[in-house]
Amino acid sequence: MDENRVRALARLDELGIPYDLSEHPAVYTIAEMDALQMEREEEIAKNLFLRDKKGKRHFLVMLKKDKTADLALLAERIGCDRLSFASEERLGRYPGLVKGAVTPLGVVNDTEALVEVVLDADLSGCRRIGMHPCDNTATVWLEFSDVERFVRKNGNRVQIFPVP
């Protein structure tokens, strides 16, 4: 089992956060997740790892899977200049993840709490939210409030609003 996944699940256990885990083949896109037909009353989250224009600030954005984020409006909302997708190198350096496994649970690797997390308020009404546990061969199902608590307990800044 992937060591990042072990670390994320251990932290969930340590915080007393209940979760369910679904194993599946590796997936890299929302279309591949949809093909697994795992959804029930839950919602699958889409996660983006972004950086500001100067590369000084990094953002992990969790939003509803069917939304397309307007990066210009999002940048304005979080108070920074232009946003763009961060490189795989930055993804590996800051939340310690690889492409296809982006998740708010990746903050478990962010010991300096440098990554800012944006949670789409449109997900707050979902019964549970599915996301990778730092490994794209499984989906962990959590309540929205528990995702927020996980991130805050790591010391990362959290913003919650409807992602444009």
Side-chain angles (χ1 to χ4, degrees), residues 71-86:
L71 297 186
L73 288 175
L74 183 57
E76 186 178 302
R77 181 71 195 255
I78 58 180
C80 73
D81 52 4
R82 186 174 48 100
L83 287 172
S84 61
F85 287 92

Side-chain angles (χ1 to χ4, degrees), residues 1 55 64 78 85 101 104 110 120 126 135:
M1 189 181 310
K64 289 186 98 167
I78 58 180
F85 287 92
D110 184 17
D120 186 356
C126 299
D135 169 15

Side-chain angles (χ1 to χ4, degrees), residues 45-104:
K46 174 168 42 177
N47 296 286
L48 311 174
F49 188 61
L50 308 171
R51 58 170 276 207
D52 71 349
K53 182 178 179 180
K54 294 181 181 179
K56 302 246 186 241
R57 293 173 70 191
H58 295 85
F59 303 90
L60 198 152
V61 180
M62 182 179 82
L63 63 158
K64 289 186 98 167
K65 72 171 186 166
D66 57 344
K67 286 179 97 171
T68 302
D70 182 322
L71 297 186
L73 288 175
L74 183 57
E76 186 178 302
R77 181 71 195 255
I78 58 180
C80 73
D81 52 4
R82 186 174 48 100
L83 287 172
S84 61
F85 287 92
S87 67
E88 287 185 54
E89 186 232 329
R90 285 177 186 269
L91 179 61
R93 186 176 350 142
Y94 292 97
L97 300 173
V98 296
K99 186 177 179 180
V102 178
T103 173

Side-chain angles (χ1 to χ4, degrees), residues 6-57:
V6 169
R7 192 176 300 118
L9 296 177
R11 182 69 172 147
L12 286 169
D13 291 338
E14 179 184 315
L15 293 172
I17 295 175
Y19 63 89
D20 290 317
L21 187 70
S22 302
E23 303 279 348
H24 52 71
V27 293
Y28 295 89
T29 65
I30 290 296
E32 290 174 340
M33 280 297 297
D34 285 345
L36 296 175
Q37 299 180 338
M38 294 175 52
E39 295 178 66
R40 299 168 297 263
E41 296 174 31
E42 294 85 1
E43 177 74 42
I44 296 290
K46 174 168 42 177
N47 296 286
L48 311 174
F49 188 61
L50 308 171
R51 58 170 276 207
D52 71 349
K53 182 178 179 180
K54 294 181 181 179
K56 302 246 186 241
R57 293 173 70 191

Side-chain angles (χ1 to χ4, degrees), residues 123-136:
L123 286 167
S124 65
C126 299
R127 189 169 98 59
R128 291 192 312 164
I129 304 161
M131 67 200 69
H132 294 310
C134 301
D135 169 15
N136 67 352

